[in-house]
Amino acid sequence: MGIRTRVAEIYNILAPYIGRLFMEQVKACLPIVLYLLVFLLLVFRGHMSNPWLFIPGIIFVLVGLMFFMEGLRLGLMPFAETIGNTLPKKATLFVLLGFTFLVGIGATLAEPAIGVLKSVGSSVDHTRAPLLYDYLQNHTTTLVIMVAIGVGVATILGVMRFLHQWSLKVLIFPILSGVLILTAIAHWIPDLRSLIGLAWDCGGVTTGPVTVPLVLALGIGVSRARGASDTGMSGFGVVTLASLFPILFVLLSGFYLYFSGSINLEVTKAATGAMSTGIGTMVADAMYYAVRAIIPLMLFLYLVQRFILKEIIPNGQEILAGVVFCLVGMAIFNLGLSFGLVPLGQKVGAAAPNAFAPPAMFYGALWGKVVVLLFAFFLGYGATMAEPALNALGLTVENVTQGAFKKKLLIHSVAFGVGCGIALGVAKMMFDIPLAMLLIPLYVLLIPITWLASEKFVNIGWDSAGVTTGPITVPLVLAMGLGVGTATSALDGFGIISLASVCPIIVVLTLGILVEGKAKK
Amino acid sequence: MAKQTQKYNLITCIVQRGKGDEVWDAAKKAGAGGVTIHFARGKGVREKLGLLGIAISPEKEVLQLVVPDKDADKIFDAIVKAGKLETPGMGFAFLEDVKRAVGFYHEKKKK
């Protein structure tokens, strides 16, 4: 028996709801877009090639994210909570780990930012970085699968960590060393050097709005099933692993492709007729891609809850609405990315070098570089401040440290770290510094800092990096990086995200050591 | 004990989480002195709205105001208007008599 509603009443119910959701996205995204526009048009004196496509593009990004996030809340979270609560209790270890692995893969494939890797791949210069170009153009599926498997393995390890209460510190060192060694090898072999940026950026691309809640719910459920008290720290640590393992897998797969001769280094630029497809095809493509990304995960979760847990699905109608929202949202978001966000990032990236490089050199060689670096720093700072996940992390940290580490301190320190990272990434391209020269020393620096910091802060600090890079920042920074890379003499445009991930860890861990040292006195 | 000369009414208002401050502002303008707000969870109406129900948050805020008899209707109407309570699903409000009340002081208007 239902309640019949008149049109005016429906409006009264829906308007505040939709208004609130839309404003959430506007508050998070619009400032960054405006910041970029101002810099593009006024400071770097570039121009937007197709404003009539760009403005709807940005609106699509906002609307798409609005639908997608709400769809996650309605369609994904109920599964996450129920399965997270009951699966650890009811299932055998084997089933639990198998589920964890598949969920890790499924969630990664459903992440909105994964699609961006493919679209930015076409702007890589095939003469400077043939391996990278070939990998991105002809082996895209392999890349995505490698990243997904990496996350799957990381989630298994994360869940086992909760089960046996392993220390995250102990896990980080071997994994990090392995990844750094592989990176060094890739740097040493010139053909493989272009792989480094891509691999490390893939680590930052994962762990988005789909993976994190699922994995957190699982982690909390496992901790609870173990009987461990809720210290508020349950769930931490998996994000870190889910950022490190994909790097490992992408590097390894790149090595394999190279050494097995599957990579065509003499490749010529593929006929990019893709740029001139009609709007209709693009929409159909977007829908197809959205279905392929989301349905497997949702179907899998449904089947697990229905047949393995044998729990009924409450509110089936709402969950279905949630899934539809996710599909629609992701399709619209991807369209918005291609029309609006990615071109914006690329244009800004391409125009920025005009500040310091010939022939334009708007501000002279020195000041031009300063302008660009400051621009990059504040972009990182601002974009991070807008991330909603960071606010949640800050609250948790303040609780867990009994107020010693204030929420504001965490937010600003992470934002500062990301700002530095992005500035460093842009500097890498300005001065043509090989990425390995920046990453390896920074991560090596992180080893003693991690060793000195307490287990609690190791969890917080390393996870904060995964939390910061959201569905808006990642495509923008990737596109911008590639824009700068094409305009300068840099090897490739990847790597900014990886630097934007390592710097906040250093800042937060160092602060953590200081805060805890003060508290002990 | 002094005989209570002032008659008081209790207004209870239930709205979605986040709307409480809006409703309180309207009540204050209409003359209410104070409010106690607590959090609750609702069931029943939201489910009857079908798919429209996703727009209604099950998390609620419960506002309780004790107001003088003569202001009660004015404040109640203001609350209903601010919370759009006439629309199904937006919330509830009800008015009750209070037999005894302590702690509520009616501001002496400067004449």
Side-chain angles (χ1 to χ4, degrees), chain A residues 405 409-410 412-414 449 457 505-517:
Chain A
F405 204 120
L409 181 61
L410 183 84
H412 284 279
S413 47
V414 172
I449 299 182
F457 267 100
I505 309 180
I506 298 180
V507 174
V508 172
L509 280 183
T510 317
L511 277 177
I513 296 176
L514 291 173
V515 160
E516 296 211 305

Side-chain angles (χ1 to χ4, degrees), chain A residues 116-294:
Chain A
V116 183
L117 280 174
K118 297 188 187 178
S119 60
V120 295
S122 54
S123 47
V124 172
D125 189 333
H126 65 106
T127 49
R128 283 187 232 150
L131 179 91
L132 185 63
Y133 182 80
D134 191 61
Y135 197 170
L136 278 172
Q137 288 286 79
N138 303 326
H139 300 269
T140 351
T141 330
T142 316
L143 177 66
V144 176
I145 292 179
M146 282 295 123
V147 174
I149 292 183
V151 175
V153 169
T155 8
I156 290 187
L157 206 60
V159 165
M160 298 215 65
R161 187 179 93 82
F162 292 132
L163 278 173
H164 301 282
Q165 294 289 59
W166 293 333
S167 152
L168 185 66
K169 269 203 237 191
V170 166
L171 283 176
I172 286 183
F173 292 133
I175 302 170
L176 187 63
S177 317
V179 172
L180 287 177
I181 292 174
L182 284 178
T183 308
I185 297 177
H187 177 73
W188 195 52
I189 305 177
D191 277 336
L192 288 174
R193 213 172 277 179
S194 53
L195 197 56
I196 299 178
L198 175 69
W200 283 85
D201 275 6
C202 283
V205 162
T206 63
T207 59
V210 182
T211 326
V212 172
L214 268 178
V215 159
L216 267 176
L218 208 59
I220 294 177
V222 166
S223 297
R224 215 176 275 157
R226 262 192 88 259
S229 59
D230 187 10
T231 56
M233 288 301 295
S234 19
F236 276 96
V238 193
V239 170
T240 305
L241 296 169
S243 305
L244 283 176
F245 271 97
I247 308 174
L248 196 72
F249 278 83
V250 172
L251 282 173
L252 283 173
S253 62
F255 284 9
Y256 173 74
L257 285 174
Y258 175 71
F259 288 119
S260 71
S262 313
I263 292 280
N264 183 1
L265 290 177
E266 305 297 312
V267 68
T268 47
K269 188 110 182 154
T272 40
M275 285 300 128
S276 43
T277 42
I279 300 286
T281 338
M282 294 195 81
V283 172
D285 270 343
M287 287 249 58
Y288 166 69
Y289 180 73
V291 167
R292 224 182 61 172
I294 293 180

Side-chain angles (χ1 to χ4, degrees), chain A residues 320-360:
Chain A
L320 203 59
V323 175
V324 170
F325 279 8
C326 272
L327 286 173
V328 168
M330 177 172 255
I332 297 181
F333 176 72
N334 277 325
L335 284 173
L337 275 186
S338 342
F339 293 149
L341 221 51
V342 169
L344 176 64
Q346 282 176 326
K347 283 287 185 302
V348 172
N354 285 333
F356 59 84

Side-chain angles (χ1 to χ4, degrees), chain A residues 381-402:
Chain A
Y381 200 97
T384 311
M385 293 294 293
E387 289 281 355
L390 190 57
N391 203 42
L393 185 70
L395 267 172
T396 313
V397 170
E398 195 170 318
N399 283 336
V400 154
T401 56
Q402 274 89 46

Side-chain angles (χ1 to χ4, degrees), chain B residues 22-34:
Chain B
E22 218 176 292
V23 170
W24 161 240
D25 283 337
K28 192 161 72 162
K29 276 210 192 74

Side-chain angles (χ1 to χ4, degrees), chain A residues 8 22 29 44 83 111 114 133 153 193-194 251 253 288-289 302 356 367 370 388 392 470 481 490 500 503:
Chain A
F22 190 69
C29 313
F44 299 137
I83 298 182
E111 287 287 353
I114 276 270
Y133 182 80
V153 169
R193 213 172 277 179
S194 53
L251 282 173
S253 62
Y288 166 69
Y289 180 73
Y302 168 75
F356 59 84
W367 288 110
V370 171
C503 294

